[in-house]
Amino acid sequence: MKNLFLTAVVASAALVSCGTVQSLVQNTFPYTANVLVSTGVPANQEVSSTATASNVQSWFGGNNNAKIKDVRISDAKVSVVSPAGGNLSALKSVKVYISSSGTGEKLVASRSDISTTSSSLNLDLNDSGFLDSVVKSTGLTVRTVYELKNQTSSDMNLRIALNFSSIPAN
């Protein structure tokens, strides 16, 4: 009986520690893009804004390919930076695409039929598979496509915050 109890305790500890180790080795890295919505932007028309990020090497160091794999989008959020107290009620839809040198554009997050007076909103993730080739290439570009319900009365600055997750490559 004593051996059975001891075996159960050791097995439980091993399972818990495996989960802890897995969460410790999993990498998460962010990227934010700023989007200016000018007062002259017409309603009911898609408008595109592009921002370039440094490649993944800036997060993980190194000068060849980052030692990561299985990169996926894990979180995407749009929020109002200015005007102070601003909200997202003017937005009708948002789509966020990423691409890099030599890769095609991939939709990573979007939200349509936005109906909120909040200053921030989580976007729906488009889990279209691994993004290793895009994120590990040079010149990561984030393109945001948005549509307004109505024209804004003042300029609005939005922040698109993307989080990617990966695991270490062997």
Side-chain angles (χ1 to χ4, degrees), residues 87-91 113-121 149:
N87 64 55
L88 298 169
S89 63
L91 283 179
D113 299 324
I114 296 173
S115 60
T116 184
T117 56
S118 175
S119 63
S120 65
L121 177 68
K149 291 178 199 168

Side-chain angles (χ1 to χ4, degrees), residues 37-52:
V37 178
S38 300
T39 53
V41 172
N44 299 312
Q45 179 180 334
E46 285 192 341
V47 179
S48 179
S49 173
T50 303
T52 302

Side-chain angles (χ1 to χ4, degrees), residues 74-89:
S74 60
D75 184 54
K77 186 176 192 175
V78 60
S79 55
V80 177
V81 176
S82 67
N87 64 55
L88 298 169
S89 63

Side-chain angles (χ1 to χ4, degrees), residues 81-133:
V81 176
S82 67
N87 64 55
L88 298 169
S89 63
L91 283 179
K92 185 176 188 178
S93 66
V94 175
K95 298 175 192 166
V96 181
Y97 299 87
I98 64 169
S99 63
S100 62
S101 304
T103 67
E105 197 171 61
K106 295 189 185 263
L107 176 68
V108 291
S110 63
R111 180 62 77 98
S112 56
D113 299 324
I114 296 173
S115 60
T116 184
T117 56
S118 175
S119 63
S120 65
L121 177 68
N122 287 324
L123 301 177
D124 299 324
L125 302 179
N126 182 27
D127 188 18
S128 60
F130 297 121
L131 303 168
D132 298 36
S133 61

Side-chain angles (χ1 to χ4, degrees), residues 6 17 19 34 40 47 57-58 60 63 65 75 81-82 94 101-102 118-119 123 134 139 157 160 162 166 170:
L6 185 59
S17 67
N34 292 315
V47 179
Q57 298 302 333
S58 63
F60 295 107
N63 48 15
N65 282 334
D75 184 54
V81 176
S82 67
V94 175
S101 304
S118 175
S119 63
L123 301 177
V134 179
N157 286 303
I160 307 296
L162 303 175
S166 67
N170 294 335

Side-chain angles (χ1 to χ4, degrees), residues 6 18 22 24 30 32-33 49 51 55 59-60 63 67-68 81-82 87 94 108 120 131 135 144-146 148 153 169:
L6 185 59
C18 285
Q22 183 178 1
L24 288 174
T32 58
S49 173
N55 69 12
W59 288 291
F60 295 107
N63 48 15
K67 302 296 184 214
I68 58 172
V81 176
S82 67
N87 64 55
V94 175
V108 291
S120 65
L131 303 168
V135 173
T144 305
V145 177
Y146 63 90
L148 299 175
S153 56

